[in-house]
């Protein structure tokens, strides 16, 4: 998590996602989370099936977060080009999404005006806090693993020492 503005800094989150910055009263800051490693974490052919069903209109993805996860090429829509990007990742042709990070973060307090189209309005991926005068708690984000619409990714995969699924036969 990066903090910028009148004070700058970085903080690694704990396993449960908590972070902390020590600030002076009156500061204006922006909090920006990021995680751009392990693009294949949680991405499987089952995700391709679910996204295909959504594109074909047989079974829609039932949350704006799943739709953001399905938009692998970060175009603001779910298309067959997203399937191509995810398939290339699964087949180890690519090791990352070319136009997206492995995780996106949406401010938890944000309510999507149109839950069936999360791109209808820009969703906040940062939190701005102005004129801090006391402890500011509960500034949370929803982490969205790109390519993983069934929620099988391990959010702290890099902390668990998980095996690389592409290693060995």
């Amino acid at each position: 998590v990066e903090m910028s503005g009148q004070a700058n800094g970085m903080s690694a989150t704990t396993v449960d996602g908590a972070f902390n910055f020590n600030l002076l009263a009156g500061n204006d800051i922006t909090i920006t989370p990021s995680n751009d490693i392990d693009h294949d974490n949680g991405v499987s052919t089952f995700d391709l099936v679910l996204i295909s069903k959504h594109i074909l209109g047989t079974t829609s993805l039932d949350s704006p977060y799943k739709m953001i996860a399905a938009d692998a090429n970060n175009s603001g829509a779910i298309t067959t080009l997203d399937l191509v990007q995810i398939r290339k990742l699964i087949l180890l042709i690519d090791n990352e999404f070319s136009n997206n990070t492995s995780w996106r973060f949406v401010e938890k307090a944000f309510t999507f005006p149109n839950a069936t189209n999360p791109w209808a309005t820009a969703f906040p991926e940062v939190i701005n806090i102005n004129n801090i005068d006391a402890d500011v708690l509960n500034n949370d984000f929803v982490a969205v693993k790109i390519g993983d619409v069934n929620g099988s990714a391990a959010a702290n995969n890099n902390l668990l020492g998980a095996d690389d699924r592409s290693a060995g036969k």
Side-chain angles (χ1 to χ4, degrees), residues 102-153:
S102 63
W103 291 83
R104 303 276 302 269
F105 297 86
V106 179
E107 182 182 4
K108 188 174 184 179
F110 180 72
T111 301
F112 290 92
N114 181 350
T116 61
N117 182 0
W119 306 280
T121 58
F123 50 86
E125 296 187 79
V126 301
I127 294 176
N128 295 304
I129 306 169
N130 297 317
N131 196 23
I132 297 171
D133 62 356
D135 287 347
V136 180
L137 305 174
N138 300 321
N139 284 291
D140 296 328
F141 294 89
V142 174
V144 179
K145 175 63 187 77
I146 302 303
D148 176 30
V149 295
N150 72 337
S152 63

Side-chain angles (χ1 to χ4, degrees), residues 30-84:
T30 299
I31 299 171
T32 308
S34 64
N35 187 350
D36 196 22
I37 60 172
D38 297 329
H39 284 246
D40 62 349
N41 175 11
V43 180
S44 68
T45 54
F46 185 53
D47 296 305
L48 290 174
V49 170
L50 295 174
I51 296 167
S52 295
K53 287 181 175 186
H54 178 84
I55 292 169
L56 294 170
T58 58
T59 307
S60 295
L61 296 173
D62 60 359
S63 89
Y65 302 111
K66 289 179 183 179
M67 291 178 211
I68 293 167
D71 183 19
N73 66 357
N74 198 16
S75 67
I78 303 168
T79 68
T80 55
L81 294 175
D82 297 305
L83 294 173
V84 170

